[in-house]
Amino acid sequence: MKKIYYITLILVSILLNGCGAYNFTGAKPIEAKTFQVNYFANNADLIQPGIERTFTLKLQDLIQNQTNLNLTNTGGELLFEGEITEYRITPMTATADQAAAQNRLTISINVRYTNRNKEEDDFEKRFSFYDDFDGNAQLTGSQLTKSLDVIFDRITQDIFNEALAKW
């Protein structure tokens, strides 16, 4: 009976030890304690006021929620910076009377990522996503908020995956 107890104890120990490096966000173990997200300037040809602040805060929130890194204003071991390079609304489908039945908002963001502890992880990359909305809808108020949420959720997750999850 003692042998079964010890064998079970050893097997459970091995199984629990094997799961130690896994986490539910998909991020690899990070050899840093702090991160910094600099303000993302809006350099797009068409300017929507306030989206640069919204994006910067969404990126900060995502990293804080999915890692145990501490946000800092200066000297972060992981540095995210860049600019919004595109904000474009284009018609996607038309009606019989040549009016837009559906429009698409596309936003592109250029990101520079610097890992001060591991320079081979540094990158500069353009991330882009879109949201389609009804051609009769004005891109203001709740429609703008919904579109920005869809786009920024996708772009921030793509940045997180590229920088920290290595997907």
Side-chain angles (χ1 to χ4, degrees):
M1 187 68 170
K2 273 189 169 183
K3 283 185 180 182
I4 294 174
Y5 174 76
Y6 287 122
I7 290 172
T8 305
L9 185 63
I10 290 171
L11 287 175
V12 169
S13 299
I14 290 171
L15 287 174
L16 291 176
N17 190 31
C19 296
Y22 180 77
N23 68 42
F24 292 105
T25 64
K28 304 280 190 227
I30 302 166
E31 296 179 9
K33 289 185 173 56
T34 61
F35 77 99
Q36 175 182 339
V37 178
N38 287 347
Y39 183 75
F40 278 75
N42 193 346
N43 295 338
D45 291 335
L46 180 61
I47 299 289
Q48 176 63 42
I51 66 170
E52 62 279 3
R53 183 178 187 281
T54 303
F55 175 77
T56 302
L57 293 174
K58 272 214 182 260
L59 183 57
Q60 289 174 349
D61 289 345
L62 177 84
I63 296 169
Q64 282 184 309
N65 291 336
Q66 294 193 12
T67 67
N68 60 354
L69 297 171
N70 296 314
L71 177 64
T72 184
N73 291 330
T74 58
E77 293 171 87
L78 307 179
L79 173 64
F80 296 85
E81 58 187 352
E83 53 279 333
I84 298 172
T85 57
E86 180 182 30
Y87 180 94
R88 179 172 36 114
I89 303 168
T90 53
M92 294 308 297
T93 57
T95 62
D97 59 348
Q98 300 298 320
Q102 189 176 42
N103 290 322
R104 174 173 286 178
L105 171 62
T106 304
I107 297 178
S108 298
I109 300 176
N110 187 55
V111 176
R112 288 178 298 281
Y113 169 72
T114 305
N115 183 335
R116 298 177 203 256
N117 299 332
K118 197 173 179 187
E119 288 183 16
E120 59 269 14
D121 286 351
D122 295 358
F123 67 80
E124 181 170 355
K125 187 173 179 179
R126 183 176 181 251
F127 295 88
S128 183
F129 199 64
Y130 62 89
D131 183 53
D132 295 334
F133 61 96
D134 188 275
N136 295 324
Q138 294 275 338
L139 193 57
T140 59
S142 64
Q143 179 59 55
L144 177 61
T145 301
K146 178 206 154 287
S147 292
L148 291 177
D149 284 344
V150 167
I151 293 168
F152 288 163
D153 285 348
R154 175 64 180 267
I155 291 176
T156 56
Q157 191 63 53
D158 287 348
I159 294 167
F160 178 86
N161 290 344
E162 182 76 22
L164 302 173
K166 305 293 184 232
W167 288 4

